[in-house]
Amino acid sequence: MSSLLFYAILLLFANVASLAKAKVHYHDFVIQATPVKRLCNTHSTITVNGQFPGPTLEVNNGDTLVVKVVNRAQYNVTIHWHGVRQMRTAWADGPEFITQCPIRPGGSYTYRFTIQGQEGTLWWHAHSSWLRATAYGALVIHPKEGTTYPFPKPKRQTPILLGEWWDANPIDVIRQATRTGAAPNSSDAYTINGQPGDLYKCSNQDTTIVHVDSGETNLLRVINSGLNQQLFFTVANHKLTVVGADASYVKPFTTSVLMLGPGETTDVLITANQPPARYYMAARAYASAQGAPFDNTTTTAILEYKAAPCPAKGVKINPAFPSLPAFNDTATATAFTSSFRSASKVEVPTEIDENLFFTVGLGLNNCPAGASSSSCQGPNGMRFTASMNNVSFVLPSNFSLLQAHHQGIPGVFSTDFPSSPPVKFDYTGNVSRSLWQPISATKVYKLKYGARVQIVLQGTSIVTAENHPIHLHGYDFYILAEGFGNFNPQTDTSKFNLVDPPLRNTASVPVNGWSVIRFVADNPGIWLMHCHLDVHITWGLAMAFLVENGVTELEAIEEPPVDLPVC
């Protein structure tokens, strides 16, 4: 007994020492309009602390963040900490009208949460309307104090934030689309760390430059912060070794091109093993929706060796340009997304309590009776919509879902979100027009604490098939498999990786295909699951899980903060 007691005391001291090393980081975020000049024009742009992109936050695994957000802009705002597990702290998750009411102009709210068991790259962004277009930044999570990476420590680390830029006010763009029922205008440029790069007008003076020394290995933390576009990313003449994604380590693999959907992050090692010179980094669209308009431009940054020779006076030497996949190269996108494995064997739930099947895709609503044709400018004089399991998600407006749940307020949502499509059909074939129009409702799906959940995410070909990056708040999940066509439980179950599937918070559901994910519902609260193409969530491609409290205090959501915004 004495030796058991000794080890128990030792363990206690080790935990206390670990907690003692954990830090609390305090930040102030001021949401404000700032003049930002891109593509020759200056716009009054919503920024955080006057910066575009916003500040990079750096913490260690185990640290706590306390971020006071003050809204000095003309719009409502919230901030979402994308990919943070938010264990018992759903009040800090941030999606508007899901876990909180928005921070009104002139108001403030302090987000408090702890990073637990996550290392790598996440990010933060506004989660109100289209403010995310410019209000976003990196969240870098270093290993715990006293520990290190599972790969040789890189000489330096650089966040690479891929974004989209409109030569207009993004809020006006989505408001116009909402009025007309048509698709919103495509962006006018892509950006790397806020800069469009050399291929756009009035931009080459400010192109992002990443400096390297010959022979060193650096870590690039690549984030797709764009609103509506999956992106290919590559670096001329250099290989990229993928070591992490969505703040989880992966089995390293080498590639020449990345594909990231909005919301996804990928950590890559790059070794400066080429002749000292300047090399373009570049990103362009992976546009999987056939016939749909998209921004067909290319953003660049420059990887510059410090020992690169200076050109003779008056001589301009362009950096080496990389080869990028074609915009519709689904084979390359699929080869990349299917290469991910967890760094070691993982504990995947094998017994399933909730076996769910969710269709995800677009739809069209008939023009409402008496509406003018100007409000029905989608295909065939209809209005674009989107849905999961034929339910187009409607955000509440008087309470957030979490407040309504916590306070027992009736009538804000119902708990009858369907566990499978109400009508079974050939999801990726020719779909009957009678199935194009979903119902509009605010429905959630209830999960018991500790439930082991499997979801088949099935893409549909309604209106057009495309790749959907599906993001789940409050959870990481294992991606067991993905494929094309309709999921077939008789034959596709054999493809499941139950040994080392990747742990992600966003899954790119293939165009006209499916992905299967699993997780344990061990985090109480209300958690949004949605397509991270912002136009799709605007149209209703979302649902929410209500995860009930468990038995003990540590299995229950914390009480709401006193400064939680009221509607």
Side-chain angles (χ1 to χ4, degrees):
M1 284 299 289
S2 58
S3 63
L4 275 175
L5 185 63
F6 172 74
Y7 282 118
I9 292 168
L10 231 116
L11 192 63
L12 181 66
F13 274 116
N15 287 337
V16 169
S18 171
L19 286 171
K21 284 183 180 176
K23 296 186 180 75
V24 180
H25 302 262
Y26 295 90
H27 295 278
D28 290 318
F29 274 15
V30 178
I31 313 292
Q32 62 191 50
T34 303
V36 175
K37 186 174 184 180
R38 297 289 186 275
L39 308 181
C40 315
N41 297 316
T42 300
H43 294 278
S44 181
T45 300
I46 302 303
T47 66
V48 173
N49 298 350
Q51 301 173 39
F52 171 64
T56 294
L57 304 185
E58 297 197 48
V59 299
N60 290 83
N61 180 3
D63 288 356
T64 295
L65 273 162
V66 179
V67 184
K68 182 179 182 182
V69 177
V70 178
N71 186 4
R72 292 192 185 144
Q74 69 188 88
Y75 307 107
N76 294 338
V77 74
T78 64
I79 298 292
H80 170 51
W81 315 93
H82 184 109
V84 174
R85 283 293 318 268
Q86 297 289 2
M87 300 301 292
R88 302 180 57 228
T89 53
W91 304 108
D93 190 43
E96 183 178 62
F97 292 115
I98 303 295
T99 59
Q100 68 168 96
C101 293
I103 307 167
R104 305 289 183 190
S108 67
Y109 177 48
T110 300
Y111 295 88
R112 299 173 177 84
F113 56 92
T114 299
I115 306 291
Q116 300 182 50
Q118 296 181 282
E119 293 180 10
T121 306
L122 296 175
W123 63 301
W124 57 264
H125 59 79
H127 212 298
S128 300
S129 185
W130 272 23
L131 292 184
R132 175 165 90 73
T134 54
Y136 62 84
L139 172 55
V140 173
I141 308 169
H142 298 289
K144 277 189 175 181
E145 290 278 355
T147 66
T148 188
Y149 307 95
F151 46 83
K153 187 177 180 184
K155 293 290 184 194
R156 65 186 93 192
Q157 305 176 28
T158 308
I160 301 290
L161 293 106
L162 310 177
E164 279 181 278
W165 178 263
W166 276 260
D167 203 7
N169 179 350
I171 302 295
D172 291 344
V173 173
I174 188 57
R175 283 179 176 172
Q176 180 191 13
T178 303
R179 275 195 308 272
T180 63
N185 292 338
S186 299
S187 56
D188 297 290
Y190 300 114
T191 57
I192 297 178
N193 292 354
Q195 294 295 341
D198 288 359
L199 306 184
Y200 297 90
K201 60 184 180 181
C202 304
S203 300
N204 60 3
Q205 294 300 311
D206 300 302
T207 297
T208 297
I209 298 176
V210 177
H211 293 101
V212 294
D213 276 324
S214 290
E216 71 183 15
T217 297
N218 295 334
L219 181 66
L220 302 181
R221 301 179 177 274
V222 187
I223 303 166
N224 185 347
S225 327
L227 244 69
N228 294 317
Q229 195 62 63
Q230 289 91 345
L231 293 167
F232 288 120
F233 172 83
T234 190
V235 183
N237 300 5
H238 289 73
K239 293 288 189 186
L240 304 170
T241 300
V242 178
V243 292
D246 293 358
S248 289
Y249 296 119
V250 301
K251 274 193 178 71
F253 66 94
T254 300
T255 179
S256 58
V257 64
L258 314 180
M259 194 288 287
L260 295 91
E264 294 182 323
T265 73
T266 306
D267 291 346
V268 297
L269 296 174
I270 181 168
T271 300
N273 55 9
Q274 296 300 303
R278 304 169 89 224
Y279 300 87
Y280 274 127
M281 301 173 166
R284 67 172 290 184
Y286 165 50
S288 58
Q290 202 168 357
F294 67 98
D295 179 354
N296 194 14
T297 62
T298 302
T299 179
T300 56
I302 296 170
L303 185 77
E304 183 173 290
Y305 284 64
K306 290 183 181 175
C310 293
K313 193 173 181 184
V315 176
K316 188 176 187 296
I317 301 174
N318 289 325
F321 203 87
S323 170
L324 277 158
F327 71 86
N328 57 356
D329 191 345
T330 291
T332 294
T334 305
F336 178 72
T337 57
S338 57
S339 295
F340 286 86
R341 301 284 182 274
S342 280
S344 56
K345 189 176 186 300
V346 293
E347 291 296 319
V348 185
T350 49
E351 300 292 317
I352 300 300
D353 303 306
E354 296 275 2
N355 202 346
L356 309 177
F357 188 103
F358 290 177
T359 55
V360 298
L362 303 186
L364 288 170
N365 280 335
N366 292 329
C367 198
S372 72
S373 58
S374 65
S375 64
C376 300
Q377 294 181 32
N380 307 320
M382 302 171 83
R383 291 178 59 84
F384 270 113
T385 184
S387 66
M388 286 190 177
N389 278 357
N390 204 46
V391 179
S392 187
F393 188 78
V394 178
L395 280 175
S397 55
N398 296 325
F399 299 95
S400 75
L401 295 183
L402 190 58
Q403 285 167 304
H405 167 58
H406 192 74
Q407 297 169 25
I409 300 165
V412 178
F413 63 88
S414 61
T415 57
D416 56 345
F417 185 86
S419 60
S420 60
V423 177
K424 293 180 173 45
F425 57 97
D426 180 3
Y427 308 113
T428 55
N430 285 326
V431 183
S432 164
R433 289 289 177 109
S434 64
L435 296 169
W436 284 33
Q437 184 156 318
I439 64 162
S440 296
T442 309
K443 296 176 182 286
V444 306
Y445 191 89
K446 194 182 281 190
L447 294 171
K448 289 197 180 306
Y449 183 89
R452 295 158 296 187
V453 184
Q454 174 175 295
I455 310 173
V456 176
L457 296 165
Q458 173 69 61
T460 72
S461 57
I462 297 174
V463 185
T464 184
E466 65 183 295
N467 183 299
H468 294 279
I470 302 296
H471 171 51
L472 175 59
H473 289 230
Y475 285 89
D476 288 327
F477 49 73
Y478 291 113
I479 303 178
L480 303 191
E482 60 178 51
F484 293 98
N486 299 330
F487 177 77
N488 183 334
Q490 274 71 49
T491 55
D492 290 331
T493 308
S494 63
K495 301 170 186 170
F496 287 3
N497 176 3
L498 300 175
V499 178
D500 58 357
L503 190 64
R504 304 295 298 261
N505 63 55
T506 305
S508 285
V509 178
V511 54
N512 252 336
W514 51 267
S515 293
V516 179
I517 67 173
R518 283 187 191 175
F519 64 96
V520 177
D522 59 358
N523 193 11
I526 290 191
W527 304 105
L528 186 66
M529 187 164 83
H530 65 95
C531 182
H532 221 278
L533 305 179
D534 265 33
V535 62
H536 289 183
I537 187 175
T538 305
W539 288 340
L541 212 171
M543 57 81 64
F545 287 106
L546 191 169
V547 181
E548 298 176 323
N549 285 338
V551 177
T552 68
E553 185 185 351
L554 293 178
E555 294 175 348
I557 190 170
E558 293 179 359
E559 285 299 305
V562 292
D563 64 336
L564 189 72
V566 294
C567 285

